Coordinates of all heavy atoms in Angstrom, one line a residue:
Q1 N 15.6 -5.3 18.1 CA 14.4 -5.0 17.4 C 14.6 -5.0 15.9 O 15.7 -4.8 15.4 CB 13.8 -3.6 17.8 CG 13.4 -3.4 19.2 CD 12.8 -2.1 19.5 OE1 12.0 -1.5 18.7 NE2 13.2 -1.5 20.6
N2 N 13.5 -5.2 15.1 CA 13.5 -5.1 13.7 C 13.0 -3.7 13.3 O 12.1 -3.2 14.0 CB 12.7 -6.2 13.0 CG 13.2 -7.6 13.2 OD1 14.4 -7.7 13.4 ND2 12.4 -8.5 13.0
F3 N 13.5 -3.1 12.2 CA 13.1 -1.8 11.8 C 12.9 -1.8 10.3 O 13.6 -2.4 9.6 CB 14.1 -0.7 12.2 CG 14.3 -0.5 13.7 CD1 15.4 -1.0 14.4 CD2 13.3 0.1 14.4 CE1 15.5 -0.9 15.7 CE2 13.4 0.3 15.8 CZ 14.5 -0.2 16.4
S4 N 11.9 -1.0 9.9 CA 11.8 -0.6 8.5 C 11.9 0.9 8.5 O 11.1 1.7 9.0 CB 10.5 -1.0 7.9 OG 10.4 -0.6 6.5
V5 N 13.1 1.4 7.9 CA 13.4 2.8 8.0 C 13.1 3.5 6.6 O 13.6 3.1 5.6 CB 14.9 3.0 8.4 CG1 15.2 4.5 8.5 CG2 15.2 2.3 9.7
L6 N 12.3 4.6 6.7 CA 12.1 5.4 5.5 C 13.2 6.5 5.5 O 13.3 7.3 6.5 CB 10.8 6.0 5.5 CG 9.5 5.1 5.5 CD1 8.2 5.8 5.6 CD2 9.6 4.2 4.3
A7 N 14.1 6.5 4.5 CA 15.3 7.3 4.6 C 15.5 8.0 3.2 O 16.1 7.4 2.3 CB 16.5 6.5 5.0
P8 N 15.0 9.2 3.0 CA 15.2 9.9 1.7 C 16.7 10.2 1.5 O 17.5 10.0 2.3 CB 14.4 11.2 1.9 CG 13.4 10.9 2.9 CD 14.1 9.9 3.9
A9 N 17.0 10.7 0.3 CA 18.4 11.0 -0.1 C 19.0 12.0 0.8 O 18.4 13.0 1.2 CB 18.4 11.5 -1.5
G10 N 20.3 11.7 1.2 CA 21.0 12.7 1.9 C 20.8 12.7 3.4 O 21.3 13.6 4.1
V11 N 20.1 11.8 4.0 CA 19.8 11.8 5.4 C 20.8 11.0 6.3 O 20.6 10.8 7.4 CB 18.3 11.4 5.7 CG1 17.3 12.3 5.0 CG2 18.1 9.9 5.3
G12 N 21.8 10.5 5.6 CA 22.8 9.7 6.4 C 22.4 8.3 6.7 O 22.8 7.8 7.8
K13 N 21.7 7.6 5.8 CA 21.3 6.3 6.1 C 22.5 5.3 6.2 O 22.5 4.4 7.0 CB 20.3 5.8 5.1 CG 20.8 5.7 3.6 CD 19.7 5.2 2.7 CE 20.3 5.1 1.3 NZ 21.3 4.1 1.1
T14 N 23.5 5.5 5.3 CA 24.6 4.6 5.3 C 25.4 4.8 6.6 O 25.8 3.8 7.3 CB 25.6 5.0 4.1 OG1 24.9 4.8 2.9 CG2 26.8 4.0 4.2
T15 N 25.5 6.0 7.1 CA 26.1 6.3 8.4 C 25.4 5.6 9.5 O 25.9 5.0 10.4 CB 26.2 7.8 8.7 OG1 27.0 8.4 7.7 CG2 26.8 8.1 10.0
A16 N 24.0 5.6 9.4 CA 23.2 4.9 10.5 C 23.4 3.4 10.4 O 23.5 2.8 11.5 CB 21.7 5.3 10.3
I17 N 23.5 2.8 9.3 CA 23.7 1.4 9.1 C 25.1 1.0 9.7 O 25.2 0.1 10.5 CB 23.6 0.9 7.7 CG1 22.1 1.1 7.2 CG2 24.1 -0.5 7.5 CD1 22.0 0.8 5.7
V18 N 26.1 1.9 9.3 CA 27.4 1.6 9.9 C 27.4 1.7 11.4 O 28.0 0.8 12.1 CB 28.4 2.6 9.3 CG1 29.8 2.6 10.0 CG2 28.6 2.4 7.8
D19 N 26.8 2.7 11.9 CA 26.8 2.8 13.4 C 26.0 1.7 14.1 O 26.4 1.3 15.2 CB 26.1 4.2 13.8 CG 27.1 5.4 13.5 OD1 28.3 5.1 13.3 OD2 26.7 6.5 13.6
R20 N 25.0 1.2 13.5 CA 24.3 0.0 14.1 C 25.2 -1.2 14.1 O 25.2 -1.9 15.1 CB 23.0 -0.3 13.2 CG 22.2 -1.5 13.8 CD 20.9 -1.7 13.0 NE 20.2 -2.9 13.5 CZ 19.3 -2.9 14.4 NH1 18.9 -1.8 15.0 NH2 18.7 -4.0 14.8
I21 N 26.0 -1.4 13.1 CA 26.9 -2.5 13.1 C 28.0 -2.3 14.1 O 28.4 -3.3 14.8 CB 27.5 -2.7 11.7 CG1 26.4 -3.1 10.7 CG2 28.5 -3.9 11.7 CD1 26.8 -3.1 9.2
V22 N 28.5 -1.1 14.2 CA 29.5 -0.8 15.3 C 28.9 -1.1 16.6 O 29.7 -1.6 17.5 CB 30.0 0.7 15.1 CG1 30.8 1.1 16.3 CG2 30.7 0.9 13.8
Q23 N 27.7 -0.7 16.9 CA 27.1 -1.0 18.2 C 27.0 -2.6 18.4 O 27.2 -3.1 19.5 CB 25.7 -0.4 18.3 CG 25.7 1.1 18.3 CD 26.5 1.7 19.4 OE1 26.5 1.2 20.5 NE2 27.3 2.7 19.0
M24 N 26.7 -3.3 17.3 CA 26.7 -4.8 17.4 C 28.1 -5.3 17.8 O 28.2 -6.2 18.6 CB 26.3 -5.4 16.1 CG 24.9 -5.1 15.6 SD 24.5 -5.7 14.0 CE 24.8 -7.5 14.2
A25 N 29.2 -4.6 17.3 CA 30.5 -5.0 17.6 C 30.9 -4.7 19.1 O 31.9 -5.3 19.6 CB 31.5 -4.3 16.7
R26 N 30.2 -3.9 19.7 CA 30.5 -3.5 21.1 C 30.0 -4.6 22.1 O 30.4 -4.7 23.2 CB 29.8 -2.2 21.5 CG 30.4 -1.0 20.8 CD 29.7 0.3 21.3 NE 30.2 1.5 20.7 CZ 31.2 2.2 21.2 NH1 31.8 1.7 22.4 NH2 31.6 3.3 20.7
R27 N 29.0 -5.4 21.6 CA 28.4 -6.3 22.5 C 29.3 -7.5 22.9 O 30.2 -7.9 22.1 CB 27.1 -6.9 21.9 CG 26.0 -5.8 21.7 CD 24.8 -6.3 20.9 NE 24.3 -7.5 21.5 CZ 23.3 -7.5 22.4 NH1 22.8 -6.3 22.8 NH2 22.8 -8.6 23.0
P28 N 29.0 -8.1 24.1 CA 29.9 -9.2 24.5 C 29.8 -10.4 23.5 O 30.8 -11.2 23.4 CB 29.3 -9.6 25.9 CG 28.6 -8.4 26.3 CD 28.1 -7.7 25.1
D29 N 28.7 -10.5 22.8 CA 28.5 -11.7 21.9 C 28.9 -11.3 20.5 O 28.6 -12.0 19.5 CB 27.1 -12.2 21.9 CG 26.1 -11.1 21.5 OD1 26.5 -10.0 21.3 OD2 24.8 -11.5 21.4
A30 N 29.7 -10.3 20.3 CA 30.0 -9.8 18.9 C 30.8 -10.8 18.1 O 30.5 -11.0 16.9 CB 30.9 -8.5 19.0
I31 N 31.7 -11.6 18.7 CA 32.5 -12.6 18.0 C 31.6 -13.6 17.4 O 31.8 -14.2 16.4 CB 33.5 -13.2 19.0 CG1 34.5 -12.1 19.4 CG2 34.3 -14.3 18.2 CD1 35.5 -12.6 20.5
D32 N 30.4 -13.9 18.1 CA 29.5 -14.9 17.6 C 28.5 -14.3 16.6 O 28.1 -14.9 15.6 CB 28.7 -15.5 18.8 CG 27.6 -16.5 18.3 OD1 28.0 -17.5 17.7 OD2 26.4 -16.2 18.5
K33 N 28.1 -13.0 16.8 CA 27.1 -12.4 16.0 C 27.6 -11.8 14.6 O 26.9 -12.0 13.6 CB 26.4 -11.3 16.8 CG 25.6 -11.7 18.0 CD 24.4 -12.5 17.6 CE 23.5 -12.8 18.9 NZ 22.3 -13.5 18.5
L34 N 28.8 -11.2 14.7 CA 29.2 -10.5 13.4 C 29.4 -11.5 12.2 O 29.1 -11.1 11.1 CB 30.5 -9.8 13.7 CG 30.4 -8.5 14.6 CD1 31.7 -7.9 14.9 CD2 29.4 -7.5 14.0
P35 N 29.9 -12.7 12.4 CA 30.0 -13.6 11.2 C 28.7 -14.0 10.7 O 28.6 -14.5 9.5 CB 30.7 -14.8 11.8 CG 31.5 -14.3 13.0 CD 30.6 -13.3 13.6
R36 N 27.6 -13.8 11.4 CA 26.2 -14.1 11.0 C 25.5 -12.9 10.3 O 24.4 -13.0 9.9 CB 25.4 -14.6 12.1 CG 26.0 -15.8 12.9 CD 25.2 -16.1 14.2 NE 25.9 -17.0 15.0 CZ 25.8 -18.3 14.9 NH1 25.0 -18.9 14.1 NH2 26.5 -19.1 15.8
L37 N 26.3 -11.8 10.1 CA 25.7 -10.6 9.5 C 25.6 -10.7 8.0 O 26.6 -11.1 7.4 CB 26.5 -9.4 10.0 CG 26.1 -8.0 9.5 CD1 24.7 -7.7 10.1 CD2 27.1 -7.0 10.0
V38 N 24.5 -10.3 7.4 CA 24.3 -10.3 6.0 C 23.8 -8.9 5.6 O 22.7 -8.5 6.0 CB 23.3 -11.3 5.5 CG1 23.0 -11.2 4.0 CG2 23.7 -12.7 5.9
V39 N 24.7 -8.1 5.0 CA 24.4 -6.7 4.6 C 24.3 -6.7 3.1 O 25.2 -7.0 2.4 CB 25.5 -5.8 5.1 CG1 25.1 -4.3 4.7 CG2 25.7 -5.9 6.6
V40 N 23.1 -6.4 2.6 CA 22.7 -6.4 1.2 C 22.4 -5.0 0.8 O 21.6 -4.3 1.3 CB 21.5 -7.3 0.9 CG1 21.2 -7.3 -0.6 CG2 21.9 -8.8 1.3
T41 N 23.1 -4.5 -0.3 CA 22.8 -3.2 -0.8 C 22.8 -3.3 -2.4 O 23.0 -4.4 -2.9 CB 23.8 -2.2 -0.3 OG1 23.4 -0.9 -0.7 CG2 25.3 -2.4 -0.9
Y42 N 22.7 -2.1 -3.0 CA 22.3 -2.2 -4.4 C 23.5 -2.5 -5.4 O 23.3 -3.2 -6.4 CB 21.7 -0.8 -4.8 CG 21.3 -0.7 -6.2 CD1 20.2 -1.5 -6.7 CD2 21.9 0.2 -7.2 CE1 19.8 -1.4 -8.0 CE2 21.5 0.2 -8.5 CZ 20.4 -0.6 -8.9 OH 20.0 -0.5 -10.2
T43 N 24.7 -2.0 -5.0 CA 25.9 -2.3 -5.9 C 27.0 -2.9 -5.1 O 27.1 -2.7 -3.9 CB 26.3 -1.0 -6.6 OG1 26.8 -0.1 -5.6 CG2 25.2 -0.4 -7.4
L44 N 27.9 -3.6 -5.8 CA 29.1 -4.1 -5.1 C 30.0 -2.9 -4.6 O 30.6 -3.0 -3.5 CB 29.9 -5.0 -6.1 CG 29.3 -6.3 -6.4 CD1 30.1 -7.0 -7.5 CD2 29.2 -7.2 -5.1
K45 N 30.0 -1.8 -5.4 CA 30.8 -0.7 -4.9 C 30.3 -0.1 -3.6 O 31.0 0.2 -2.7 CB 30.7 0.4 -6.0 CG 31.5 1.7 -5.6 CD 31.4 2.7 -6.8 CE 32.2 4.0 -6.4 NZ 32.1 5.0 -7.4
A46 N 28.9 0.0 -3.5 CA 28.3 0.5 -2.3 C 28.6 -0.5 -1.1 O 28.8 -0.1 0.0 CB 26.8 0.7 -2.4
A47 N 28.5 -1.8 -1.4 CA 28.8 -2.8 -0.3 C 30.2 -2.7 0.1 O 30.5 -2.8 1.4 CB 28.5 -4.2 -0.9

């Protein structure tokens, strides 16, 4: 599914993004899917 998440400060949005990607890595097609991942955030430090 696609999602648009409203996430105010301090609610653990980065943790949620990280956990979504970890769940992607659990899938049988992870070797094919992970190289196609594009994660865009505000600063290079945050990325």
Side-chain angles (χ1 to χ4, degrees):
Q1 295 184 43
N2 295 338
F3 294 104
S4 179
V5 182
L6 298 178
V11 298
K13 65 182 179 62
T14 301
T15 301
I17 293 172
V18 168
D19 284 350
R20 182 176 174 90
I21 298 172
V22 171
Q23 295 304 317
M24 293 174 63
R26 291 179 179 275
R27 294 174 57 88
D29 58 357
I31 297 174
D32 178 60
K33 295 289 187 182
L34 289 178
R36 305 172 190 271
L37 182 63
V38 175
V39 182
V40 175
T41 189
Y42 183 64
T43 65
L44 287 174
K45 180 180 178 182

